[in-house]
């Protein structure tokens, strides 16, 4: 028994003996830290602007925050978050502004007798990276790791306080007392974070129940912009809009740029709202491993869509695809997510440029 | 922008050790460098707090291990990066070969078990310290360590174990 442990120690020591931290590690860390301090939203918008060029105005809209509340069976809404699955008989809630250590937020609280439920929403400018940092900030120091939703969370030892990072910039917390404690996780899992159905000039109108926006933002990948929804049991779907030469035709659309190793294989003809499409399996490194399915089609040359779905969601791909619609053109224009209407200026000469400190400027000569 | 007081000295003194921990919990050099950089960046942001509390190393190590576990879990969903496979029929032989078999076996463990092995047998943390880093109970650490060793033995094969034991 002990010999195996000794050999393990020796193997780990020998294996790592040649590793040395890079001499410029501190510089890189400090640079990264400084970059994170600047507004992530404007950085993402600027990068999108640089890559897609001035003609890609809808890309700015992808970065816009548009929190929508769309539900018919919502028990209550606190700071944009819908509270569902509440136990009955709790009566009328009270709304609160809360300050919990470093975090400020909005809360809603139900109380009857010795039973209470409180849902708190924090939207900090700078989120803790994970549960270890949550604890370092002083929250649920005795808590246990909880991973049923969000990126990272903590459950108190008495199972009456649950706090998790839904995604960067959004922290949720459910606190209970008395008999309501039995409903803690049900209330937590029932919270719905409305997501923006529009990005990259398109609108995603259908995503299966139980899936949540994984990051709360549009992701810029090597081939275009995408959003990811995830749920329990490894359910995952990514909707990706592919632009320009990457979406010239099906041959280019099926190729995924480095560094992703996913490939679409065994493609078979399919159809999305009458447009020719292809459906196939996703293969990464191991061709025998089940990576899910992909459905892709060209809305027009230069604009393609790829839907990547884990196997349990493969049957939903067509419905998701048929729910994707272009967003009608708006009259007013957007610069870095801020809408404005340049009256009396000639749009023919409009230019978009990268300005000071990663800002995006729209210039109208004349 | 200059680093906070003491941060550069800390990285200079402990960077290599932390990189090795990251490598063992991640299984690849590139991933380890990424994880170390992310962990240090977080530490840099909270540096003023860390210095006031105590030695920052346990905190940074904790971030590293948990980042490695999170990434491994995410990877198991995405399957973008290959995972190393254990050898099917390990054979006893020179030390280098044994080391390779053991390291492949370590990489083949589930991320949490791998983290327990690294913290217990590489960092030489106690079960209680390991539990604190991973945010779980001591009982979980014991069971994960036990399962990991059983699994490593199974991967190594009886012949290899008898040679290791001799």
């Amino acid at each position: 028994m002990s010999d195996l442990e000794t050999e393990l120690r020796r193997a780990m020591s020998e294996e790592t003996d040649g590793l040395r931290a890079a001499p410029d590690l501190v510089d890189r860390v400090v640079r990264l830290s400084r970059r994170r301090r600047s507004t992530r939203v404007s950085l993402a918008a600027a990068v999108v602007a640089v890559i897609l060029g001035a003609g890609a105005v809808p890309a700015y809209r992808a970065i816009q925050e548009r929190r929508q509340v769309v539900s018919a069976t919502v028990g209550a809404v606190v700071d944009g978050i819908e509270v569902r699955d509440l136990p009955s008989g709790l009566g009328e809630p009270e709304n609160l502004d809360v300050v919990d250590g470093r975090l400020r937020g909005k809360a809603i609280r139900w109380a009857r007798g010795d039973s209470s439920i409180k849902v708190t929403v924090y939207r900090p400018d700078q989120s803790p990276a994970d549960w270890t940092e949550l604890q370092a900030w002083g929250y649920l120091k005795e808590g246990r790791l909880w991973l049923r939703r969000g990126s990272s969370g903590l459950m108190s030892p008495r199972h009456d306080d649950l706090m998790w990072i839904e995604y960067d910039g959004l922290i949720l917390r459910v606190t209970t007392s008395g008999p309501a404690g039995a409903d803690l996780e049900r209330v937590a899992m029932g919270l719905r974070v409305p997501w923006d159905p529009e990005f990259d000039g398109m609108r995603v109108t259908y995503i299966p129940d139980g899936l949540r926006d994984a990051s709360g933002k549009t992701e810029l990948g090597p081939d275009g912009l995408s959003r990811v929804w995830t749920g329990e049991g490894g359910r995952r779907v990514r909707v990706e809009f592919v632009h320009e030469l990457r979406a010239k035709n099906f041959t280019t659309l099926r190729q995924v740029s480095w560094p992703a190793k996913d490939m679409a294989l065994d493609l078979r003809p399919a159809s999305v709202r009458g447009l020719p499409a292809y459906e196939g399996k996703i293969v990464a490194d191991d061709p025998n491993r089940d990576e899910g399915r992909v459905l892709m089609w060209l809305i027009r040359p230069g604009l393609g869509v790829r839907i990547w779905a884990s196997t349990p969601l493969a049957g939903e791909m067509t419905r998701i695809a048929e729910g994707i619609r272009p967003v009608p053109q708006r009259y007013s224009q957007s610069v870095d997510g801020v809408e404005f209407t340049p009256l009396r200026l000639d749009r023919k000469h409009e230019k978009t440029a990268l300005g000071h400190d990663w800002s995006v400027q729209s210039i109208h000569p004349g | 922008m200059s680093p906070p007081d003491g941060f550069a000295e800390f990285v200079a003194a402990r960077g290599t050790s932390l990189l090795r921990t990251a490598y063992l919990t991640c299984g690849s050099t590139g991933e380890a460098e990424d994880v170390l950089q992310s962990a240090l960046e977080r530490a840099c942001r909270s540096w003023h707090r860390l210095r006031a509390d105590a030695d920052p190393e346990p905190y940074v190590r904790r971030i590293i291990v948990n980042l490695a576990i999170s990434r491994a879990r995410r990877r198991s969903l995405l399957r973008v990066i290959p995972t190393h496979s254990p050898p099917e029929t390990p054979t006893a032989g020179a030390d280098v070969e044994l080391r390779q078999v053991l390291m492949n076996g370590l990489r083949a463990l589930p991320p949490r078990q791998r983290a327990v092995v690294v913290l217990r047998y590489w960092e030489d943390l106690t079960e209680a310290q390991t539990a604190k880093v991973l945010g779980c109970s001591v009982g979980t650490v014991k069971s994960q360590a036990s399962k990991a060793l059983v699994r490593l033995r199974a991967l190594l094969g009886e012949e290899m174990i008898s040679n290791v034991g001799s």
Side-chain angles (χ1 to χ4, degrees), chain A residues 20 39 87 115 132 144 154 204 258 281 319 324 331 360 365:
Chain A
R20 296 283 181 279
T39 311
S115 189
T132 59
R144 298 279 167 80
L154 289 165
V204 179
W258 183 91
K281 69 174 183 179
R319 191 166 169 201
I324 293 174
Y331 175 65
V360 178

Side-chain angles (χ1 to χ4, degrees), chain A residues 172-225:
Chain A
L172 301 174
R173 185 175 197 171
V174 180
T175 316
T176 59
S177 67
D183 296 304
L184 177 75
E185 281 199 279
R186 186 158 67 91
V187 173
M189 295 305 290
L191 295 183
R192 181 175 180 272
V193 181
W195 44 270
D196 185 353
E198 292 178 17
F199 72 101
D200 207 2
M202 304 296 284
R203 182 177 288 148
V204 179
T205 62
Y206 172 74
I207 288 292
D209 277 346
L211 293 184
R212 291 182 286 272
D213 193 350
S215 67
K217 62 189 175 191
T218 303
E219 294 171 15
L220 178 63
D223 295 336
L225 291 160

Side-chain angles (χ1 to χ4, degrees), chain B residues 106-118:
Chain B
L106 183 66
R107 289 187 184 105
L109 291 176
R112 203 170 174 81
Q113 282 181 20
R114 186 165 63 227
V116 168
V117 168
V118 172

